[in-house]
């Protein structure tokens, strides 16, 4: 395992795509700082806390690109077959690649955080949210990132083609994100449309419109299912965090991420052991 990890990290550090992802994260943080500073100068009450976890918006896509390309090279270059011929177990190869994918994802986040602390705090001021809450949000964000990395590692390890695995990873992350946005839009529907009044110009009279039930409101079992999907999906968790409304059930979200990590990794290992590499 140690030799595999050493070889993986050495190859990762030489990959342009890895450093481009890191630079992208750092630049996005700079752009957010500039945007927030501009709003602060215009009189808006802005705190650095509001952008602290914006890295979750991009990390899923960057993971999809990097993991698809990085692990896809293992097939295109014949690296995986050489590792097996050299006596490495398939399970060890899989776990080494998963650890590398997770490490790469965390390094990308680290680049965002370095800029956030080095430039964001001097410009926008310190955090106003209590430390415990920030730690919990960080845990939810990082676990969802690891869960996403586990999903993409499984895809990349089970698909021979680097191009197909990269496309599959990107489609997966965008599908999950679009689904999360669509579900949350339905959950945001008001239960009742509030009463209002307007002036009828033809009669010059004020017309009172009473409160009416919203037919689009999701209730009952369907609502519980939607809420479960938002909590379970890594991209659902990300969307809630970026909207600053992750809910109170942080432990459930973290549990779901752990379940995804364990189940996807176990399934990926079983499938990879049976995969024909010829």
């Amino acid at each position: 395992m140690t030799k595999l990890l050493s070889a993986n990290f050495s190859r990762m550090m030489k990959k342009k795509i890895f450093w481009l992802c890191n630079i992208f994260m750092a630049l996005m943080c700079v752009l957010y700082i500039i945007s927030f500073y501009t709003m602060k100068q215009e009189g808006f009450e802005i705190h650095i806390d509001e952008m602290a976890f914006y890295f979750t918006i991009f990390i899923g896509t960057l993971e999809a690109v990097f993991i698809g390309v990085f692990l896809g090279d293992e097939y295109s270059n014949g690296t995986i077959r050489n590792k097996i011929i050299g006596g490495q177990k398939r399970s060890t190869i899989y776990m080494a690649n998963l650890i590398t994918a997770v490490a790469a994802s965390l390094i990308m986040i680290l680049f965002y955080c370095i800029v956030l602390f080095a430039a964001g705090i001097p410009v926008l001021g310190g955090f106003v949210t209590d430390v415990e809450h920030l730690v919990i949000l960080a845990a939810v964000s990082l676990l969802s990132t690891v869960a996403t990395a586990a999903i993409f590692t499984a895809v990349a390890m089970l698909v021979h083609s680097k191009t197909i695995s990269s496309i599959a990873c990107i489609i997966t992350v965008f599908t999950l994100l679009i689904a999360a946005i669509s579900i949350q839009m339905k959950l945001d529907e008001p239960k009742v449309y509030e009463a209002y009044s307007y002036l009828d110009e033809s009669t010059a009279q004020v017309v009172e419109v009473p409160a009416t039930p919203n037919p689009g409101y999701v209730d009952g079992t369907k609502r519980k299912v939607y809420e479960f999907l938002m909590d379970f999906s890594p991209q659902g968790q990300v969307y809630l965090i970026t909207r600053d409304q992750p809910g109170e059930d942080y432990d459930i979200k973290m549990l779901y991420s752990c379940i995804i990590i364990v189940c996807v990794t176990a399934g990926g290992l079983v499938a990879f052991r049976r995969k024909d590499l010829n």
Side-chain angles (χ1 to χ4, degrees):
M1 174 72 82
T2 303
K3 290 183 179 179
L4 288 176
L5 287 174
S6 177
N8 279 357
F9 278 104
S10 177
R11 188 162 63 90
M12 180 179 74
M13 292 299 174
K14 296 176 183 178
K15 280 288 185 181
K16 290 182 180 178
I17 188 67
F18 172 67
W19 292 109
L20 286 174
C21 289
N22 291 328
I23 292 169
F24 178 84
M25 287 293 273
L27 287 177
M28 290 311 301
C29 189
V30 170
L31 291 177
Y32 279 129
I33 292 171
I34 294 172
S35 176
F36 274 49
Y37 178 74
T38 302
M39 288 189 287
K40 189 174 183 179
Q41 293 298 101
E42 293 175 353
F44 292 94
E45 187 176 351
I46 297 293
H47 301 290
I48 195 172
D49 309 53
E50 298 171 35
M51 61 169 286
F53 299 99
Y54 276 15
F55 64 81
T56 56
I57 298 174
F58 310 104
I59 188 62
T61 304
L62 295 182
E63 283 180 300
V65 173
F66 172 77
I67 294 173
V69 171
F70 184 79
L71 297 186
D73 281 342
E74 296 253 292
Y75 283 111
S76 60
N77 297 335
T79 307
I80 287 183
R81 291 184 63 187
N82 291 337
K83 287 178 179 178
I84 294 175
I85 293 172
Q88 295 291 347
K89 295 180 179 179
R90 292 197 181 203
S91 58
T92 306
I93 295 171
Y94 188 100
M95 292 306 299
N97 285 345
L98 174 60
I99 292 171
T100 305
V102 171
S105 304
L106 297 181
I107 291 172
M108 293 175 200
I109 293 173
L110 180 61
F111 268 74
Y112 183 95
C113 292
I114 289 173
V115 176
L116 180 73
F117 283 92
I121 291 179
V123 172
L124 301 173
F127 291 88
V128 295
T129 307
D130 62 273
V131 176
E132 182 181 359
H133 186 70
L134 288 174
V135 170
I136 291 173
L137 287 179
V140 174
S141 302
L142 293 178
L143 277 174
S144 69
T145 298
V146 175
T148 306
I151 293 171
F152 295 154
T153 298
V155 172
M157 292 297 290
L158 298 177
V159 178
H160 269 85
S161 171
K162 176 172 65 175
T163 302
I164 294 176
S165 66
S166 298
I167 293 174
C169 289
I170 293 172
I171 290 175
T172 299
V173 72
F174 278 107
T175 299
L176 290 174
L177 182 58
I178 293 171
I181 294 173
S182 300
I183 290 172
Q184 191 59 44
M185 287 178 64
K186 292 183 180 297
L187 291 174
D188 287 340
E189 286 280 347
K191 189 172 185 177
V192 177
Y193 290 124
E194 295 182 1
Y196 65 95
S197 60
Y198 67 93
L199 179 64
D200 188 336
E201 295 181 358
S202 62
T203 61
Q205 293 182 343
V206 175
V207 179
E208 299 286 345
V209 179
T212 56
N214 178 11
Y217 179 75
V218 179
D219 199 4
T221 303
K222 189 175 182 180
R223 187 172 191 86
K224 291 181 179 179
V225 171
Y226 280 4
E227 290 173 344
F228 165 76
L229 292 174
M230 288 299 293
D231 286 341
F232 188 81
S233 167
Q235 291 302 305
Q237 295 179 20
V238 163
Y239 186 63
L240 292 174
I241 289 172
T242 55
R243 290 185 56 180
D244 195 28
Q245 53 178 147
E248 299 299 328
D249 50 346
Y250 304 109
D251 53 342
I252 294 298
K253 290 178 174 61
M254 289 188 279
L255 175 61
Y256 287 156
S257 290
C258 290
I259 290 173
I260 291 174
I261 295 167
V262 172
C263 292
V264 170
T265 301
L269 277 168
V270 171
F272 183 63
R273 284 172 181 168
R274 299 175 179 175
K275 183 175 175 60
D276 182 8
L277 299 178
N278 295 322

